[in-house]
Amino acid sequence: MLKKKKKEDSETPENTAEMANENGQTDGQEQAIQNEFAELQQSVEEKHKEELSQANDKFLRLYAEFDNFRRRTVKEREDARKTEGKDIIVALLPVLDDFERAVRSMENATDVTSVKEGVILIQNKMKNILAQKGLKEMQTIGTPFDADLHEAITNIPAPTDDMKGKVMDEMEKGYELNEKVIRFAKVIVGA
């Protein structure tokens, strides 16, 4: 029995050595795999950090561009609002000059008809300039009353049945600018 135990004891160190040898190789391989995995993990992590920093940089640049665009458009709108009526004012300056000349000529004028003709010419000039800019007078007398175009001041009895519900008189002219009502005509309607 002792011999058997010695044999088993002698086999055990060999087995242990073999196992240690195999485990050593396994441990070495596992260590190498773990090292490779750690390196791969670090490279992936670094890659993600780099992508994140690039995305942040791109975001900041895009945000700055948008902010500059917003500021520029706000400034352009303000400038446009300040000068949006410039063309009409420049077009009306000659009419203003004509009115000043008319006032100077009225001081020394003895003939009322010539002054009246001058004022009518200035009025026609102004109407033509405004018509070129898209202003149009509404023709209301004799037309059916339309609440979208007219503002009724009062009703009066209609002289005939066909004038009922139609505009009898106009107290203040209505105007359209490029086919859009900018001032309603104040009218008297037949009832």
Side-chain angles (χ1 to χ4, degrees):
M1 262 185 128
L2 282 176
K3 288 183 181 179
K4 281 186 181 180
K5 279 187 181 178
K6 283 186 181 179
K7 258 187 179 180
E8 285 175 13
D9 287 340
S10 66
E11 286 179 12
T12 307
E14 288 175 1
N15 287 342
T16 309
E18 285 177 14
M19 290 176 109
N21 198 9
E22 286 176 10
N23 285 341
Q25 287 177 354
T26 305
D27 287 343
Q29 287 175 349
E30 284 180 19
Q31 187 66 31
I33 290 172
Q34 285 178 355
N35 288 342
E36 286 179 27
F37 181 72
E39 289 174 11
L40 182 64
Q41 208 172 17
Q42 284 178 349
S43 67
V44 169
E45 187 177 319
E46 289 173 7
K47 182 179 176 185
H48 286 308
K49 283 182 181 180
E50 185 178 324
E51 288 175 358
L52 179 64
S53 67
Q54 288 175 353
N56 282 340
D57 185 51
K58 190 175 184 181
F59 170 74
L60 289 174
R61 289 177 190 276
L62 188 61
Y63 183 78
E65 280 183 39
F66 177 74
D67 195 41
N68 290 338
F69 169 77
R70 186 182 52 79
R71 286 183 191 156
R72 186 175 59 247
T73 54
V74 166
K75 185 178 180 195
E76 287 173 357
R77 284 183 188 158
E78 287 176 9
D79 291 344
R81 283 189 190 117
K82 288 178 184 176
T83 61
E84 64 188 4
K86 179 183 174 187
D87 59 336
I88 190 75
I89 291 172
V90 169
L92 289 175
L93 286 176
V95 175
L96 184 63
D97 294 337
D98 289 345
F99 273 120
E100 288 176 1
R101 284 191 284 275
V103 168
R104 280 194 302 246
S105 68
M106 281 193 285
E107 292 173 0
N108 302 328
T110 55
D111 187 18
V112 177
T113 56
S114 64
V115 172
K116 184 178 176 182
E117 288 174 6
V119 171
I120 290 172
L121 287 172
I122 294 171
Q123 181 188 20
N124 289 336
K125 186 175 185 178
M126 185 167 179
K127 282 183 179 182
N128 289 336
I129 290 171
L130 292 175
Q132 289 173 356
K133 299 297 179 185
L135 188 71
K136 181 181 168 189
E137 286 183 10
M138 288 186 210
Q139 300 301 322
T140 57
I141 297 177
T143 61
F145 176 75
D146 183 359
D148 292 333
L149 302 173
H150 308 124
E151 183 180 334
I153 294 176
T154 187
N155 290 335
I156 61 169
T160 61
D161 286 340
D162 65 328
M163 289 301 287
K164 285 186 178 179
K166 292 189 177 179
V167 176
M168 301 288 295
D169 196 11
E170 184 177 59
M171 301 303 293
E172 195 173 84
K173 284 190 178 288
Y175 291 95
E176 294 177 342
L177 181 62
N178 299 322
E179 306 299 322
K180 185 176 179 185
V181 177
I182 60 169
R183 186 170 87 177
F184 295 100
K186 293 183 180 177
V187 296
I188 298 173
V189 182

